[in-house]
Amino acid sequence: MQKLSLDAKAREHLERAAASSTGRSAETLYGGHEHALRQTLIALRTGTTLSEHENPGEATVLVLRGRVRLRSGAESWEGMAGDLLLVPPARHSLEALEDAATLLTVVKAG
């Protein structure tokens, strides 16, 4: 069994995002190509956006710190620390409204 501190990982990746020219930092904490389930910590500086992309399967975004906006087409949802956003099965983007750390959980389709 392994144990990870999401708080420590969020702090680490927010620091990396702040120092990065892209304004973001990410690490897969569980899963990968050999697993259906993947959990990735994503940290974004204020104003940074993960541009629109496809949803590879069922997905959720747990906001660990800060505030984000999940957008799909004309709809958008805002989340703050403690909120769980359900990612629609369509193209979508994620924007940091303030420095944010999130846990993306995906179960790849097929």
Side-chain angles (χ1 to χ4, degrees):
M1 182 187 300
Q2 268 187 297
K3 176 184 163 186
L4 297 171
S5 168
L6 291 178
D7 190 51
K9 286 289 186 182
R11 189 172 43 252
E12 171 189 341
H13 284 278
L14 282 166
E15 289 172 4
R16 287 185 187 180
S20 170
S21 62
T22 64
R24 58 187 178 193
S25 178
E27 177 184 357
T28 297
L29 301 179
Y30 178 82
H33 299 293
E34 66 281 0
H35 298 280
L37 176 68
R38 180 181 294 175
Q39 292 186 297
T40 304
L41 190 135
I42 302 169
L44 303 169
R45 279 194 323 226
T46 303
T48 303
T49 300
L50 294 178
S51 60
E52 192 174 83
H53 55 279
E54 294 294 334
N55 184 344
E58 295 179 57
T60 62
V61 173
L62 173 62
V63 184
L64 302 172
R65 291 195 184 179
R67 287 182 35 238
V68 297
R69 177 179 296 124
L70 177 66
R71 188 181 309 271
S72 181
E75 294 188 277
S76 68
W77 306 267
E78 288 189 17
M80 55 192 249
D83 287 346
L84 181 68
L85 302 174
L86 308 179
V87 180
R91 292 184 63 78
H92 61 279
S93 62
L94 185 69
E95 176 188 7
L97 301 176
E98 56 187 52
D99 289 355
T102 64
L103 182 67
L104 170 66
T105 300
V106 176
V107 176
K108 293 182 279 186

